[in-house]
Every structure is written in structure tokens, then in C-alpha cells.
Amino acid sequence: MKRERFWLQHGWRILFGCAAVIVSMGWAVDSIRQSYARPPMLDFNDAPYRVFTGNMSNGQQDTLMTVSSGQALILTGGTSSTTNCHIYEDTTMKLDGGSYALVQNGLFSNGQGHLQISAGSTLYMRASGGSCTYYIEGYLVEL
């Protein structure tokens, strides 16, 4: 009898107390989950990094990009299958494939290059003396 009377008098308090504990635990877990920092999502067109790849036959030229005014492109690395690939800025040869900079253990293939392509200039790859496959990477900077 006493148990029934106790539940009738105090049962609602126990139920509300349990509900309050459950709700507060849910709020705490949700707060912890939201506190983890998420990296910002970048649109690839806004990211400064550029990568170019291709395969050319002897005498072929690939136009890679034209650098916008107010920016410069810094080429930092790359590799080619042969010494037949050459990097041009407009009509000026910026890197002769014959220098071995783009082949294994070369300056560019080790990621140690810093070749600037000026604002308004067009970056080309040309093959001469045979075919070549290339990979070039770099980043844009604001001037």
C-alpha cells in the first residue's frame, strides 16, 4: 500500500527527473559532436594549385594555361618520360628538357624547382626530338 501511494504521489517527479537527465545527456553529446572543427571546403577553381599532365608526339605543343593579370604561376615540380619535353613561356624556352631537370633525380622531378611564369603569359609544353609524357605542378600567387 505504501509503495502504491509513494508512486502516486511522487511518480511524476521521478519521470520528469529521468526525462531531464536524458535530454541533458543528448544535448551534451550533440554539443561535443558539433565542437569538432571541420576544414573549409574549397572550390578547385579557387585553390591556387595547378597540375598539368599530357602525352605529346614529336613537334606537338600543348597549351597548359594563360596566367591571369595580377598573378604569377610558380612551377615547383614535375617529371617527363624523356628529355624531349620543354617548358615554354610564350615563345621563350624556360626549361630545356635536355637539361635533365625533368627526368629522374632532376631538380624539377625532386620538387625543388621554382620557375616563374609571368602574368599575362601562356605556359606551353613542346616536344622536340621525339615523343614525351609529362607531369608539371605549381601554384598561383597574387602580385
Side-chain angles (χ1 to χ4, degrees), residues 24-135:
S24 64
M25 288 176 64
W27 176 79
V29 168
D30 190 52
S31 297
I32 291 169
R33 184 179 57 82
Q34 291 179 3
S35 68
Y36 288 105
R38 295 182 183 110
M41 298 302 292
L42 294 176
D43 182 7
F44 181 73
N45 292 329
D46 293 336
Y49 303 104
R50 298 292 183 263
V51 174
F52 310 99
T53 62
N55 188 3
M56 298 182 295
S57 301
N58 185 28
Q60 187 178 351
Q61 173 177 294
D62 283 353
T63 303
L64 304 182
M65 79 172 289
T66 299
V67 181
S68 300
S69 62
Q71 294 182 327
L73 176 65
I74 309 297
L75 300 178
T76 57
T79 187
S80 72
S81 58
T82 65
T83 58
N84 300 328
C85 282
H86 312 286
I87 297 176
Y88 278 79
E89 177 181 0
D90 294 328
T91 59
T92 304
M93 183 185 291
K94 296 291 273 191
L95 184 64
D96 184 354
S99 69
Y100 291 90
L102 287 171
V103 294
Q104 187 176 6
N105 296 324
L107 191 63
F108 258 63
S109 64
N110 289 335
Q112 299 172 353
H114 288 87
L115 182 63
Q116 180 175 333
I117 306 299
S118 303
S121 297
T122 301
L123 174 65
Y124 297 99
M125 287 296 290
R126 290 186 187 161
S128 63
S131 63
C132 74
T133 301
Y134 64 88
Y135 168 89

